[in-house]
Amino acid sequence: MSARSVASPVGSVEPVRRSPVGLVVSRIATMCLVELQKLRHDRTELITRGIQPALWLLVFGETFTRLRAIPTGGVPYLDYLAPGILAQSALFIAIFYGIQIIWERDAGVLAKLLVTPTPRVAMVTGKAFAAGVRALVQALVVLVLAALLGVALTANPLRLLGMAVTVVLGSAFFCCLSITIAGLVLSRDRLMGIGQAITMPLFFASNALYPVELMPGWLQWINRFNPLGYEVDALRGLLLGTPADLALDLGVLVVAAATMIGVSSALLGRLAR
């Protein structure tokens, strides 16, 4: 009797083998679903996280709009500021995502995940895009606030979709930067300190608050290597219609996010030792 004629036992289940791409997609979907469930169970987080961008828009934006101290090329300063605050909100969410990785290590969850067949790059990519989902929810809060304040935002669905892609890519980069720092310092306290130390310099070394032309030469040079600057430029072009090199901005964000995903994936095993 040939092997083909032997029937499989009744009730046996053939294990499903997924391709690496399928594992990455599955992990991304799972992480995004977890983040949405977290937000559903803790809706107060949306309110607390909305306080800071509201203060920036209401106090800083309204004040400097009346002062007219920063030339923005005919665009009201509040309109100019809104995309920068949106990018800042996403940055503040993603830059501390490494704390969750350290918590998973301390709870023994990370070690269990690393022995599964799931590639490390799939785990990191899933967490990166989960941070993007959380940032998108925060971005919606900022957009509603900006619209209530009279900011002339676009209603073009394609531009809004581009805005969502930009926010996710920027959040993915900064999330993986946080995971990379976590893999180096191995401590929540150190990660928190470093995160707080680099957040505001990243913000002020971008064009979120003022045009690049107003920066001193050395700060303009730093801005060229700051992914947040490219994110803000893309958001401003998409939401306001101001001149922007979207191909360059999105290209830089894609390369930066992919590079940081690779680096943080390589350091993920160091956390579990």
Side-chain angles (χ1 to χ4, degrees):
M1 184 180 295
S2 64
R4 292 183 180 180
S5 63
V6 178
S8 300
V10 178
S12 64
V13 179
E14 188 75 18
V16 179
R17 294 181 179 272
R18 290 182 176 177
S19 64
V21 175
L23 284 172
V24 172
V25 173
S26 175
R27 178 62 60 179
I28 292 173
T30 301
M31 292 295 179
C32 293
L33 181 61
V34 168
E35 289 303 318
L36 290 175
Q37 289 175 343
K38 288 180 181 178
L39 290 174
R40 187 183 65 180
H41 292 304
D42 188 11
R43 298 175 184 176
T44 57
E45 183 178 352
L46 293 178
I47 299 175
T48 57
R49 287 191 177 275
I51 293 175
Q52 188 176 64
L55 290 175
W56 274 100
L57 291 173
L58 285 170
V59 179
F60 196 86
E62 290 283 1
T63 300
F64 276 78
T65 297
R66 297 188 180 190
L67 290 176
R68 298 182 181 179
I70 301 178
T72 54
V75 178
Y77 184 72
L78 184 61
D79 293 31
Y80 183 88
L81 179 66
I85 299 305
L86 193 158
Q88 179 213 47
S89 300
L91 166 65
F92 285 0
I93 289 174
I95 200 65
F96 295 108
Y97 228 80
I99 295 176
Q100 179 179 337
I101 294 288
I102 296 177
W103 178 88
E104 290 179 353
R105 179 204 63 187
D106 295 341
V109 176
L110 183 60
K112 294 178 181 178
L113 288 174
L114 289 176
V115 298
T116 65
T118 305
R120 294 179 181 180
V121 67
M123 297 180 190
V124 172
T125 305
K127 291 187 178 297
F129 280 88
V133 170
R134 186 176 286 267
L136 280 178
V137 177
Q138 181 68 29
L140 179 61
V141 175
V142 175
L143 290 177
V144 170
L145 287 172
L148 292 175
L149 291 172
V151 176
L153 299 172
T154 183
N156 187 320
L158 291 179
R159 287 184 173 271
L160 292 175
L161 178 61
M163 177 275 298
V165 172
T166 302
V167 170
V168 169
L169 288 174
S171 300
F173 170 81
F174 289 112
C175 171
C176 292
L177 176 62
S178 179
I179 295 174
T180 299
I181 297 173
L184 294 173
V185 302
L186 305 176
S187 166
R188 277 177 286 186
D189 294 336
R190 291 178 182 176
L191 175 60
M192 181 67 74
I194 294 175
Q196 291 175 342
I198 67 175
T199 298
M200 295 312 292
L202 283 170
F203 180 52
F204 286 113
S206 73
N207 55 347
L209 298 178
Y210 29 70
V212 177
E213 294 77 16
L214 298 181
M215 299 178 182
W218 61 270
L219 194 57
Q220 292 185 22
W221 185 84
I222 294 176
N223 179 68
R224 293 179 183 177
F225 300 93
N226 185 359
L228 187 65
Y230 294 94
E231 181 181 355
V232 172
D233 188 63
L235 291 175
R236 201 165 276 143
L238 290 166
L239 293 175
L240 303 180
T242 57
D245 192 345
L246 294 178
L248 175 63
D249 295 334
L250 293 176
V252 169
L253 290 175
V254 168
V255 172
T259 301
M260 198 53 63
I261 286 174
V263 173
S264 56
S265 300
L267 289 172
L268 193 63
R270 189 170 184 268
L271 274 168
R273 293 176 186 172

